[in-house]
């Protein structure tokens, strides 16, 4: 993610302050789009697995390419899990994979008769996070850039806070969020102000909340 953020910053710097459209830069990768297009729940083959296999064998409609993409992604997630388990340099990083592996280790040492934690489930969760979050993140970043352009005073405050916290050449990580409360608040407010999924399922508060 840090590499992607650096690439985005570099792309923005290349325009030297000139007006530009970053939609194409923020879009999901073509491989992800292909996989979703051909094997997503809206595709007829989702309710007819035999049809999907038929199309893949005879290379109809791009199913062979989608299948290859999914296999490559599955291999990638498995390698990442293995790398996290075997690399000492990665075990100290507080990321999703390590937290999940720690929970697995905790369960294996206890007496839990039923649980839904497994490396196979971890692979599935990683796939959901990767595929499900691709468009959401790109849309969020797009709105954030637009709002920063519109509210220049907010942009200046965020910039000043980040510079003070990590320096001009530093990189902000999630664990630094307590050092940049204003920036973190701006990110949260952006998600409230321009909801990416305004018509999602209904919600209700678990407790009564007094409003003044």
């Amino acid at each position: 993610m840090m590499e992607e953020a650096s690439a985005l910053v570099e792309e923005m710097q290349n325009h030297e302050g000139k007006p530009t459209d970053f939609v194409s830069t923020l879009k999901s990768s073509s491989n992800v789009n292909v996989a979703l297009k051909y094997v997503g729940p809206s595709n007829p083959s989702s309710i007819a697995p035999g049809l999907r296999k038929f199309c893949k064998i005879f290379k109809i409609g791009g199913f062979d390419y989608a299948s290859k993409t999914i296999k490559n992604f599955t291999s990638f997630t498995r390698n990442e899990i293995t790398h996290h388990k075997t690399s000492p340099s990665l075990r100290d990083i507080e990321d999703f994979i390590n937290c999940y592996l720690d929970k697995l280790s905790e369960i294996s040492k206890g007496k839990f008769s039923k649980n839904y934690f497994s490396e196979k489930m971890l692979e599935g969760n990683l796939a959901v996070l990767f595929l499900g979050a691709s468009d959401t993140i790109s849309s969020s970043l797009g709105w954030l850039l637009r709002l920063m352009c519109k509210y220049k005073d907010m942009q200046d405050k965020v910039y000043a806070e980040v510079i003070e916290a990590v320096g001009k050449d530093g990189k902000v990580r999630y664990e630094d969020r307590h050092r940049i409360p204003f920036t973190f608040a701006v990110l949260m407010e952006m998600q409230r102000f321009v909801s990416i999924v305004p018509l999602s399922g209904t919600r209700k508060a678990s407790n009564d909340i007094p409003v003044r």
Side-chain angles (χ1 to χ4, degrees):
M1 185 171 291
M2 296 302 297
E3 292 179 0
E4 293 178 355
S6 298
L8 176 60
V9 171
E10 184 178 346
E11 178 69 20
M12 295 175 70
Q13 290 175 338
N14 290 337
H15 291 276
E16 299 178 345
K18 299 177 182 178
T20 186
D21 183 5
F22 285 98
V23 173
S24 59
T25 306
L26 296 173
K27 279 185 178 179
S28 305
S29 69
S30 58
N31 283 348
V32 172
N33 286 332
V34 168
L36 289 176
K37 177 180 179 181
Y38 291 115
V39 300
S42 61
N43 194 285
S45 66
S46 297
I47 58 176
L51 177 61
R52 181 186 302 177
K53 186 175 182 180
F54 176 84
C55 293
K56 182 176 68 174
I57 293 175
F58 292 97
K59 299 182 179 181
I60 299 174
F63 274 82
D64 56 320
Y65 178 59
S67 177
K68 182 179 179 181
T69 300
I70 293 173
K71 287 181 179 179
N72 289 338
F73 178 74
T74 302
S75 177
F76 166 75
T77 56
R78 288 174 181 169
N79 289 338
E80 279 297 310
I81 294 172
T82 301
H83 195 37
H84 274 68
K85 292 169 62 178
T86 58
S87 175
S89 61
L90 291 179
R91 287 304 295 154
D92 294 332
I93 299 177
E94 295 183 1
D95 62 6
F96 178 75
I97 295 178
N98 279 336
C99 289
Y100 199 103
L101 291 175
D102 289 342
K103 187 64 177 180
L104 272 177
S105 177
E106 178 186 337
I107 290 175
S108 65
K109 296 176 182 178
K111 296 181 179 180
F112 297 91
S113 58
K114 291 184 179 180
N115 71 81
Y116 298 96
F117 288 84
S118 67
E119 288 192 16
K120 189 69 176 178
M121 186 65 71
L122 175 56
E123 291 178 16
N125 286 334
L126 290 174
V128 170
L129 289 172
F130 187 89
L131 298 177
S134 296
D135 287 338
T136 306
I137 292 175
S138 61
S139 298
S140 298
L141 286 174
W143 275 110
L144 181 63
L145 291 174
R146 293 181 179 94
L147 292 173
M148 283 294 192
C149 291
K150 182 176 181 179
Y151 300 102
K152 186 65 167 53
D153 56 330
M154 297 292 102
Q155 181 184 153
D156 293 339
K157 290 181 180 179
V158 167
Y159 178 79
E161 185 179 63
V162 171
I163 293 298
E164 182 179 355
V166 299
K168 190 172 183 179
D169 298 323
K171 294 181 179 180
V172 181
R173 300 182 181 276
Y174 184 72
E175 50 265 30
D176 296 322
R177 64 190 183 281
H178 301 300
R179 301 169 58 192
I180 49 172
F182 181 79
T183 302
F184 196 73
V186 168
L187 293 174
M188 297 298 102
E189 174 62 12
M190 179 275 298
Q191 295 182 47
R192 184 204 66 81
F193 185 67
V194 286
S195 177
I196 305 302
V197 189
L199 300 177
S200 61
T202 57
R203 300 286 188 273
K204 70 175 183 179
S206 57
N207 299 306
D208 291 337
I209 302 175
V211 179
R212 296 180 180 179

